[in-house]
Amino acid sequence: MSFQFFHAALLWGMGLVFLPILIHLLRRRLVRRYRLPTFEFLLRTQRRITNRSRLRNWILLFLRVCAVGIIIFLASRPLLETEGGVSGVGWFPVHTVAVIDNSASMAFETGKGSRFEVAKRAVRRMIEDMSEADRMSIATTVGEPAAASLKEFQRKEALAALERVRQTDGKGAPARIVQHALENASPKAGRRNVVVFSDFARGDWESFQIRNLRQWNPHVHLQFVRVAPESGVEDLSLQNVKMKPWPPKAGFSFTIGARVFNRGEEKKSKVPVQLYVGEELRETIEVDLEPNGASPVSFRVNAPEKGVLYGRIELPKDNLSATNRFYFAAGIGKRLRALVIDGDPKRGLQDSETFFVVNALTAAPLGGESPVLTRVVASYELNNVQWDEYDYVIACNLGRWPENGKQRLRDFVEKGGGLFWATGELSSEKAAGLGWLPATTGGPVTLRPSKSLKIAQGEEAHRAFSFLGVNGGRFFSALRLARLTPLEPARGGRALLELPDGTPVLVTGSVGSGQVMVWGSTCDRDWTDLAVRPVFVPFMRGISEFLGGTQKGVSSSADAGDVFEIRAPTRRVGEAIQIRGPAQEERATQFTEKKPGPETMPTDGLRLGKKGSAAAVAYYRDAYLAGIYRVLTPDEKHIVAVNAPASESRISPVEMSFFKDKLEKLDVRDLPANESDPLRSILRLIDLGALLFLMLGGIFVAEAFLADRT
Amino acid sequence: MDTDRYFDPIVISRLSNLQLRARHVVEGLMSGVHRSRSRGFSVDFEEHRAYAPGDELRHIDWKAYGKFDRYLVKQYEDETNLRAHIVVDASASMDFGDGPLSKWEYAATLSSSMAHLLLGQSDSVGLVISYEVEDVQVPSKSIRKHLLTLLAGLQAAKPAGGTGIARSLLALAERLKRRGLVLVVSDLLDEPEAVAEALKLLCLKGNDVIVFHVLDSVELDFPFEGLARMDDVETDRNITVECEVVKRPYLGLLTEFLEQTRERCADLGVDYHLVSTAEPLDRGLIRFLAWRSRSRV
């Protein structure tokens, strides 16, 4: 049993207890002298009362000293610590908030169950020890955001609530929970305790900021219980897992690198590190690990041509399984396929328009891969083309068509394919007979002198120019155009590039579900120097993405506890989707209309689906276990790898002095895993304010009574 | 006519001479009062005195008139019918006073005023100044100039030592051969039983005894506050007291003492008067005159 003082500095004022004694002594020094003939009567009087009076005076002095002492004591807000459980008595109920750390590091095995289980056992005993008037609230460091106020349970409800608390692989937010518990402990209760059960792993607690505790309530006793600290921190963990390139490209290989860390005092030999792709074991590497040492491992994996890729790296089972596995998953990117039609194949290769176009589309960095696959065909080969294999078509100076060719091209575009129609000597609208294009073409016109181009007003942000960076118009002002097929936008078409006098040179428009671009010049050097200008490659790549769409791979990984935001078109508002977790359990969530305004996505989260088209969103907030999650929607499938946050592998505890420096009043106790009566380590704190007030009142009454008697 | 000023202790304190004080008091008391003299009968010539209206003409010494051309009245030693003895306490406790007059000054003024009155009525007055061990005595005489002797004795006296009033009264009782009047002016801070015994003896011898119990207002009211060290005026003793604490029991004991004294006096037939030094002096004299008038009925 000991005292805590909220304002300990005020105890220096305890010296004031000597004030009444000082006054008493000073008064004795100020005694006045009188002569009195009737001294004898006084002497007899004094003899009669002296003993009683002296006793009363001593009592008065004592009471005044006590009163001063109690006032100082009261001002310093004394709290009495006593051991022995959390139960109160009927007229002095206790509200206890048990904060259980259920972050990944609490899964550490102690030999008597995990630390999380030890903590739960202790809380269960606390609940069983509650009296009828007592209340218990249960909070976790990982889980749903704390409610506005902590729910107060009686014994039975509290036991049920405790059973619902689950171990997670997430990262704890202890400061937020502790703050919430301190601020919301029931003010109606006679005593309020907040008991935090945790391993105080660095990963969770090192960022604990005292400033987060805005309202430190001295009437709430905060106790930190270190769960099974004697079990140590021996563990193997996977750290610094890196995959390159990521997301992987379709059909190409990627590497997975990681460091295996031995957080133990013994050397580990031939520790198998296994790579699983899907559920299939692909490779095992054995590493030797020095005490507190690390060893790198690396795997090479071939990505499939399409679909999704998922798998895991796995270490042998040890004390903390959450750090033994690392899951990965990604959607494999699709490469665009372009059909380039050469309308004038009789010319030499290097003079051909298709030469310039294909080289621009397949340009790639050194050692890299082009995102576009091209095929060049002559116009007479169009009958042999499987249109469905291509994402868009680039037609260069196409004047002649095989039978049904025009109709097939139109069907292809209307179904969503793209078309880049480059004019030339052979091609014109009339000659081609393509009345559905977004522009009509006239006969070729020679420009003397040659002219530059400019981006039409308001079209600078068009996707076709997205590879040109800021102020892309400067590239077009440098090139020269000597001959032109005049274009007239029609059927909803609009100009993207034009001559300085406003004559359209590049017109775009929609046909069915597809996009069409009509270029009023050639793609070789006959009419313009565009094909040999640096702007040609990014210009063609921009056109490729505009017409064929983005087909990049998607990395889908998240930390345990993160929220998934799934986006979908507006038509899916109200529709339910299923998410299948690592334990094959399925949970449903529902699309709701996305409200305009600021993003509602939590900071820690993963966004799935196309952002641009999203007007319906669904949130999944139950990814607390590491593993592979499958989001099952009717028209698309997402696969998400969820891992314990990297910080959870930092399981060595923070020094308690770290907290003591911040929380002077903090009470820290250890809860060994084999503690038979964990309640013995739980303190209770009694606020002596009311008792001292009563004592002070009693002293004042006694003082008034005795003073009046004099 | 405002006669109060004659008896105001403050006014009297300004008069340094005891004779003046006595005359001041007596004249104030007698102003407006018809003088009447008791008839005495003489045996031995003592002296002449000036004729005063009211004296019987047959007492005028016509021979002296022929010689001095003034009306003189013969006085004889046995002219008076009252022999009075004034016993004044001169213990150190009487040398105390918070007001303009100390108890001693008050007692001396009161005594001299009564002597003035008695001698003015041709009574014989003697004086005993009581000390702890030995008294100062002035034999009783009825001649008027005896007043000067009495006053000189009072003025020469200095209060000192312990109280010996009981002893003085006892000695006086043994000494007195004839019955008379004994005026006791004292604070009576002696052994109550001894004082009572002495008074009893005086009464048994047929004396009329009047006790003027003189106390200061401080003694009667105990107006002190706070912590105080009290010194005994007669001894070296002292005591530190919380005045508020001791006031009530002190006043209780004092009242008990006064009541006891009053009762004892009443039992003995002693005329007892408690006199505060804050009171005007005439009150004591009025009480004395009242007694005189009663005793003549």
Side-chain angles (χ1 to χ4, degrees):
Chain A
M1 191 185 298
S2 62
F3 282 108
Q4 283 187 16
F5 295 94
F6 189 68
H7 301 300
L10 289 181
L11 286 176
W12 287 106
M14 206 48 96
L16 290 176
V17 297
F18 295 108
L19 198 62
I21 299 171
L22 199 64
I23 291 171
H24 175 76
L25 294 174
L26 283 174
R27 281 192 67 199
R28 288 191 74 84
R29 287 175 63 87
L30 296 173
V31 167
R32 282 171 290 183
R33 296 183 65 169
Y34 298 106
R35 294 168 67 241
L36 190 68
T38 48
F39 179 82
E40 193 63 34
F41 297 112
L42 204 57
L43 196 61
R44 283 159 58 192
T45 301
Q46 186 69 358
R47 279 186 197 134
R48 188 183 294 179
I49 67 167
T50 184
N51 291 336
R52 203 175 47 192
S53 170
R54 192 169 294 170
L55 180 64
R56 188 162 51 221
N57 284 339
W58 278 116
I59 293 173
L60 271 175
L61 185 62
F62 174 74
L63 289 177
R64 285 164 186 169
V65 166
C66 287
V68 174
I70 286 176
I71 288 169
I72 302 293
F73 210 51
L74 203 54
S76 60
R77 306 289 285 275
L79 302 165
L80 180 69
E81 282 184 359
T82 58
E83 286 196 350
V86 295
S87 65
V89 291
W91 52 272
F92 202 61
V94 177
H95 178 211
T96 301
V97 182
V99 178
I100 302 173
D101 185 353
N102 60 341
S103 64
S105 61
M106 283 291 281
F108 193 91
E109 195 58 40
T110 67
K112 297 276 183 182
S114 67
R115 282 182 171 138
F116 173 75
E117 287 162 349
V118 173
K120 270 183 83 170
R121 280 204 297 271
V123 176
R124 191 174 295 114
R125 290 291 301 273
M126 287 167 67
I127 295 170
E128 287 166 354
D129 194 49
M130 283 167 57
S131 73
E132 283 301 314
D134 295 339
R135 295 291 182 272
M136 172 75 78
S137 299
I138 294 172
T140 54
T141 59
V142 185
E144 291 199 359
S149 61
L150 293 169
K151 232 175 187 176
E152 298 174 26
F153 299 120
Q154 287 185 304
R155 190 184 302 151
K156 193 175 174 185
E157 299 164 320
L159 283 170
L162 180 66
E163 287 309 308
R164 290 194 292 272
V165 175
R166 293 275 178 266
Q167 168 75 62
T168 72
D169 291 324
K171 175 178 167 57
R176 181 171 58 92
I177 302 299
V178 170
Q179 175 196 343
H180 184 74
L182 286 175
E183 291 175 358
N184 293 284
S186 173
K188 290 179 285 186
R191 287 194 283 119
R192 283 166 275 171
N193 297 326
V194 173
V195 188
V196 182
F197 293 87
S198 177
D199 56 354
F200 298 99
R202 286 186 187 280
D204 291 325
W205 289 88
E206 208 164 46
S207 59
F208 184 83
Q209 294 291 331
I210 188 64
R211 66 169 177 268
N212 291 338
L213 303 179
R214 291 192 301 266
Q215 298 171 16
W216 172 258
N217 188 339
H219 296 286
V220 181
H221 174 218
L222 175 61
Q223 185 178 34
F224 280 0
V225 179
R226 295 194 299 184
V227 181
E230 76 284 356
S231 302
V233 294
E234 191 165 314
D235 177 46
L236 293 177
S237 60
L238 281 166
Q239 295 179 356
N240 301 331
V241 180
K242 288 178 182 171
M243 290 169 286
K244 195 172 179 183
W246 195 256
K249 293 179 179 177
F252 290 89
S253 64
F254 65 97
T255 58
I256 303 175
R259 287 170 66 83
V260 183
F261 191 81
N262 174 20
R263 198 181 300 277
E265 299 302 325
E266 291 180 11
K267 183 179 177 181
K268 307 276 185 186
S269 299
K270 295 186 177 178
V271 175
V273 186
Q274 297 174 316
L275 170 72
Y276 287 82
V277 176
E279 298 300 329
E280 178 189 346
L281 174 62
R282 285 283 180 87
E283 190 177 354
T284 300
I285 298 175
E286 290 183 342
V287 294
D288 294 331
L289 294 166
E290 295 296 325
N292 285 313
S295 178
V297 290
S298 179
F299 299 97
R300 193 158 191 89
V301 182
N302 287 321
E305 274 296 330
K306 59 182 180 179
V308 293
L309 167 75
Y310 71 93
R312 66 179 185 272
I313 312 172
E314 192 171 308
L315 293 175
K317 185 173 169 56
D318 64 358
N319 288 332
L320 184 56
S321 57
T323 58
N324 292 354
R325 291 181 176 187
F326 184 87
Y327 294 90
F328 56 88
I332 302 300
K334 177 188 172 188
R335 288 196 280 189
L336 292 173
R337 294 171 182 272
L339 179 66
V340 182
I341 306 171
D342 190 351
D344 189 15
K346 288 187 285 188
R347 301 185 62 174
L349 180 64
Q350 292 194 9
D351 294 329
S352 169
E353 290 173 301
T354 55
F355 170 79
F356 294 102
V357 169
V358 168
N359 277 295
L361 290 177
T362 57
L366 190 62
E369 296 291 334
S370 166
V372 183
L373 294 173
T374 58
R375 182 187 172 194
V376 180
V377 294
S379 55
Y380 52 78
E381 294 176 301
L382 284 177
N383 280 339
N384 301 326
V385 169
Q386 294 294 321
W387 292 91
D388 294 341
E389 292 180 359
Y390 302 97
D391 297 300
Y392 61 94
V393 172
I394 295 178
C396 302
N397 196 18
L398 189 60
R400 298 178 190 168
W401 287 87
E403 193 178 352
N404 298 326
K406 292 177 185 174
Q407 187 56 43
R408 286 179 181 172
L409 178 63
R410 183 172 183 173
D411 292 344
F412 168 75
V413 173
E414 286 181 345
K415 284 180 182 174
L419 173 63
F420 183 82
W421 180 270
T423 60
E425 293 293 349
L426 300 178
S427 72
S428 69
E429 185 190 358
K430 193 174 178 181
L434 298 175
W436 42 272
L437 292 180
T440 58
T441 58
V445 176
T446 301
L447 301 173
R448 292 182 191 278
S450 61
K451 292 182 178 177
S452 63
L453 295 179
K454 67 181 178 73
I455 297 174
Q457 193 173 5
E459 299 294 349
E460 291 84 356
H462 194 274
R463 200 169 172 187
F465 308 131
S466 60
F467 284 81
L468 300 179
V470 181
N471 193 19
R474 69 185 187 281
F475 295 109
F476 295 105
S477 62
L479 62 85
R480 309 306 299 176
L481 194 67
R483 195 170 166 78
L484 171 74
T485 300
L487 300 178
E488 188 66 35
R491 295 173 283 277
R494 68 182 197 274
L496 295 180
L497 286 173
E498 54 194 20
L499 295 178
D501 60 3
T503 304
V505 180
L506 179 65
V507 174
T508 184
S510 300
V511 176
S513 300
Q515 297 291 334
V516 178
M517 299 182 98
V518 181
W519 170 239
S521 186
T522 60
C523 292
D524 56 12
R525 293 180 296 177
D526 284 356
W527 289 14
T528 175
D529 60 356
L530 171 67
V532 292
R533 289 278 180 180
V535 69
F536 189 58
V537 173
F539 177 56
M540 288 309 293
R541 291 289 290 274
I543 287 170
S544 172
E545 291 230 341
F546 173 65
L547 296 176
T550 303
Q551 299 291 327
K552 287 181 180 174
V554 179
S555 165
S556 299
S557 63
D559 284 341
D562 284 358
V563 178
F564 302 169
E565 184 189 82
I566 304 143
R567 294 176 174 236
T570 312
R571 59 186 160 78
R572 294 183 60 184
V573 170
E575 188 180 309
I577 55 169
Q578 298 287 325
I579 292 96
R580 186 182 299 154
Q584 302 303 312
E585 78 283 7
E586 283 191 14
R587 300 211 174 160
T589 183
Q590 199 169 31
F591 282 108
T592 56
E593 190 174 358
K594 187 176 188 305
K595 291 173 184 170
E599 289 285 331
T600 53
M601 180 69 182
T603 311
D604 298 328
L606 173 70
R607 185 171 285 126
L608 303 170
K610 290 180 181 177
K611 185 179 177 183
S613 61
V617 289
Y619 294 101
Y620 181 69
R621 304 176 192 277
D622 205 20
Y624 291 119
L625 294 178
I628 299 295
Y629 287 75
R630 291 173 173 80
V631 182
L632 312 173
T633 59
D635 54 355
E636 58 181 329
K637 290 183 180 179
H638 298 287
I639 207 163
V640 180
V642 172
N643 289 294
S647 60
E648 286 301 303
S649 64
R650 301 175 62 219
I651 57 174
S652 56
V654 287
E655 294 295 328
M656 283 300 122
S657 57
F658 170 79
F659 295 114
K660 291 266 187 179
D661 291 344
K662 297 179 175 184
L663 297 166
E664 195 183 333
K665 312 294 175 211
L666 184 66
D667 170 27
V668 180
R669 291 297 171 104
D670 287 346
L671 176 63
N674 58 358
E675 175 67 60
S676 58
D677 185 3
L679 295 177
R680 292 171 68 86
S681 68
I682 310 300
L683 279 189
R684 63 174 159 193
L685 204 64
I686 299 174
D687 187 349
L688 296 178
L691 183 67
L692 289 174
F693 262 120
L694 278 176
M695 287 173 67
L696 195 61
I699 284 175
F700 283 150
V701 169
E703 204 274 352
F705 176 74
L706 286 173
D708 184 52
R709 298 283 290 181
T710 61
Chain B
M1 181 179 177
D2 181 14
T3 56
D4 288 348
R5 64 187 178 84
Y6 286 101
F7 319 114
D8 186 353
I10 297 172
V11 175
I12 290 167
S13 67
R14 291 177 194 147
L15 302 173
S16 58
N17 188 294
L18 192 58
Q19 187 180 3
L20 282 175
R21 285 183 181 180
R23 204 170 74 188
H24 181 86
V25 172
V26 173
E27 281 178 0
L29 183 69
M30 289 303 170
S31 62
V33 178
H34 176 70
R35 290 187 183 196
S36 63
R37 304 282 310 263
S38 60
R39 181 186 294 182
F41 50 90
S42 61
V43 178
D44 301 320
F45 174 75
E46 176 74 28
E47 63 175 347
H48 281 108
R49 67 170 172 83
Y51 170 78
D55 287 342
E56 288 189 21
L57 287 175
R58 61 191 173 99
H59 289 152
I60 295 175
D61 186 348
W62 295 108
K63 286 181 183 176
Y65 176 72
K67 190 187 276 184
F68 302 113
D69 199 19
R70 283 194 302 164
Y71 294 115
L72 296 170
V73 176
K74 281 184 178 176
Q75 285 202 314
Y76 300 91
E77 205 163 273
D78 285 332
E79 184 186 19
T80 179
N81 55 0
L82 178 65
R83 191 179 296 270
H85 293 274
I86 301 174
V87 183
V88 187
D89 185 357
S91 64
S93 64
M94 291 293 284
D95 188 20
F96 174 81
D98 189 52
L101 292 178
S102 69
K103 286 200 291 185
W104 167 253
E105 288 169 333
Y106 195 95
T109 306
L110 185 63
S111 302
S112 55
S113 300
M114 287 187 297
H116 194 289
L117 273 174
L118 288 165
L119 288 172
Q121 295 174 99
S122 302
D123 292 330
S124 169
V125 179
L127 178 67
V128 176
I129 298 173
S130 169
Y131 287 100
E132 186 176 9
V133 180
E134 196 174 352
D135 301 334
V136 173
Q137 296 180 23
V138 178
S140 64
K141 288 184 181 176
S142 61
I143 56 174
R144 291 187 68 87
K145 67 178 182 185
H146 184 56
L147 181 62
L148 295 175
T149 311
L150 296 174
L151 296 183
L154 283 171
Q155 277 188 325
K158 295 287 177 198
T163 303
I165 192 70
R167 184 196 53 73
S168 301
L169 291 174
L170 269 177
L172 180 64
E174 288 169 3
R175 201 168 58 242
L176 287 177
K177 303 299 181 193
R178 293 175 59 186
R179 290 189 299 178
L181 170 65
V182 177
L183 294 163
V184 181
V185 184
S186 169
D187 56 9
L188 299 179
L189 296 177
D190 201 346
E191 288 298 320
E193 289 76 17
V195 173
E197 280 299 312
L199 290 174
K200 186 177 179 183
L201 191 59
L202 282 170
C203 292
L204 286 175
K205 286 198 168 185
N207 293 300
D208 291 320
V209 181
I210 303 176
V211 172
F212 289 97
H213 194 172
V214 181
L215 288 173
D216 193 81
S217 58
V218 168
E219 294 170 295
L220 291 167
D221 298 334
F222 200 78
F224 307 112
E225 289 178 348
L227 202 63
R229 195 179 108 172
M230 296 296 183
D231 296 327
D232 189 5
V233 295
E234 292 184 357
T235 64
D236 294 335
R237 293 181 300 176
N238 62 62
I239 186 172
T240 302
V241 295
E242 189 80 41
C243 295
E244 289 80 2
V245 175
V246 298
K247 182 173 183 176
R248 192 180 295 177
Y250 164 83
L251 291 177
L253 279 177
L254 185 67
T255 307
E256 187 184 336
F257 165 68
L258 295 176
E259 283 300 316
Q260 209 173 39
T261 307
R262 188 191 305 279
E263 284 173 11
R264 281 177 174 163
C265 288
D267 291 346
L268 296 170
V270 172
D271 204 15
Y272 172 85
H273 302 287
L274 176 63
V275 181
S276 165
T277 55
E279 287 181 8
L281 275 149
D282 62 329
R283 292 195 187 167
L285 291 175
I286 288 169
R287 288 168 190 165
F288 171 62
L289 290 175
W291 175 85
R292 273 301 294 269
S293 62
R294 279 202 309 273
S295 67
R296 291 191 177 194
V297 172

